[in-house]
Amino acid sequence: MKGDYYKTKASVEEYIQLAKDVNGKKLIEKLRKVLPARSGLLELGSGPGTDWRLLNEIYQVTGSDNSSEFLKHLRANNPHGEFFELDAITLETDHTFEGIFSNKVMIHLRDEELQASIKRQSQILGPDGIICHSFWKGEGTEIFKGLFVNYQNEKRLKKLFDNNFEILSIESYAEFEADDSLLLIGKKK
Ligand SMILES: C[S@@+](CC[C@H](N)C(=O)[O-])C[C@H]1O[C@@H](n2cnc3c(N)ncnc32)[C@H](O)[C@@H]1O
């Protein structure tokens, strides 16, 4: 079923092991160029918390996830951290932020869910709010370990974000192999 892989204790433990050497350091360095240190930042889908810990060294970061297993792990390992239970699609929060970051999280949203998320992100950002999101680069969709994965290219991302965000950059980068990923940085219109 959609999303189950991130929801059970066993699979969350497996994912944490598998992803232990992966982090978004290079992406966060790009974000740092457009979003000043100490800004209020929301991370979507913090998962194991690897990127949250890097972001926490620079920003007033709030982590979030829609998986209670990941939230348990995040809270247990970062007792001073702030973590919200949030679905990246609906983003039901009264808080506002200066930036929103995610690393390979919006890949799990279908196009109509992405559209809803993007609109909601613009609502919970202050003026000139910054977004920084990574995607798998490619065509079409697939189910991987029971998880829905939506591949993106530059043209599709421009179309999806254009109503709400000025796109500052869309760059290819290598997660596991050359040009397998895209990083989008945008500013609220
Ligand atoms: C690839 S992991 C992110 C890893 C994270 N960037 C890190 O530093 O390790 C994807 C995360 O997105 C979360 N996720 C997937 N769909 C979501 C949704 N609709 N709303 C919120 N979180 C979601 C999963 O529970 C998982 O924790």
Side-chain angles (χ1 to χ4, degrees):
M1 268 167 55
K2 187 189 161 196
D4 268 11
Y5 183 70
Y6 289 139
K7 301 285 164 72
T8 71
K9 192 168 191 291
S11 54
V12 159
E13 281 170 4
E14 180 188 278
Y15 180 81
I16 291 167
Q17 269 308 307
L18 285 174
K20 68 181 186 331
D21 297 325
V22 181
N23 68 64
K25 191 166 187 287
K26 286 194 186 130
L27 316 186
I28 295 166
E29 281 165 9
K30 303 261 180 190
L31 172 64
R32 181 69 189 83
K33 294 196 173 126
V34 287
L35 185 69
R38 290 182 290 285
S39 299
L41 180 76
L42 174 67
E43 183 188 19
L44 310 180
S46 302
T50 314
D51 293 337
W52 181 88
R53 278 185 284 282
L54 297 172
L55 293 165
N56 191 44
E57 289 170 10
I58 307 170
Y59 296 111
Q60 305 286 332
V61 62
T62 301
S64 70
D65 212 284
N66 70 342
S67 155
S68 53
E69 278 303 329
F70 270 126
L71 284 166
K72 243 190 261 173
H73 171 86
L74 287 162
R75 289 174 177 140
N77 286 279
N78 309 284
H80 301 295
E82 181 172 49
F83 298 99
F84 291 172
E85 181 163 7
L86 278 186
D87 192 310
I89 305 163
T90 52
L91 294 171
E92 287 178 26
T93 173
D94 295 333
H95 291 72
T96 55
F97 302 90
E98 291 161 289
I100 301 177
F101 172 92
S102 75
N103 188 3
K104 303 286 170 55
V105 175
M106 295 184 75
I107 57 165
H108 296 303
L109 306 191
R110 293 171 191 278
D111 283 358
E112 60 278 14
E113 295 172 335
L114 265 171
Q115 278 161 354
S117 174
I118 292 163
K119 190 170 167 201
R120 188 69 195 122
Q121 288 182 39
S122 127
Q123 291 167 348
I124 64 168
L125 279 168
D128 295 331
I130 294 289
I131 51 167
C132 178
H133 298 301
S134 74
F135 300 86
W136 291 117
K137 185 175 178 180
E139 304 300 325
T141 64
E142 71 169 346
I143 305 289
F144 179 73
K145 286 190 185 264
L147 289 170
F148 173 79
V149 181
N150 198 352
Y151 290 87
Q152 297 293 346
N153 59 42
E154 290 189 23
K155 199 172 154 202
R156 292 190 66 213
L157 286 177
K158 277 186 186 148
K159 205 171 156 203
L160 280 162
F161 282 88
D162 188 52
N163 275 346
N164 303 90
F165 290 92
E166 176 195 342
I167 294 178
L168 301 178
S169 62
I170 303 180
E171 287 178 23
S172 296
Y173 69 95
E175 183 85 70
F176 299 121
E177 51 190 70
D179 290 344
D180 63 0
S181 300
L182 286 170
L183 181 69
L184 179 147
I185 297 185
K187 183 159 88 170
K188 179 173 159 169
K189 278 185 175 171

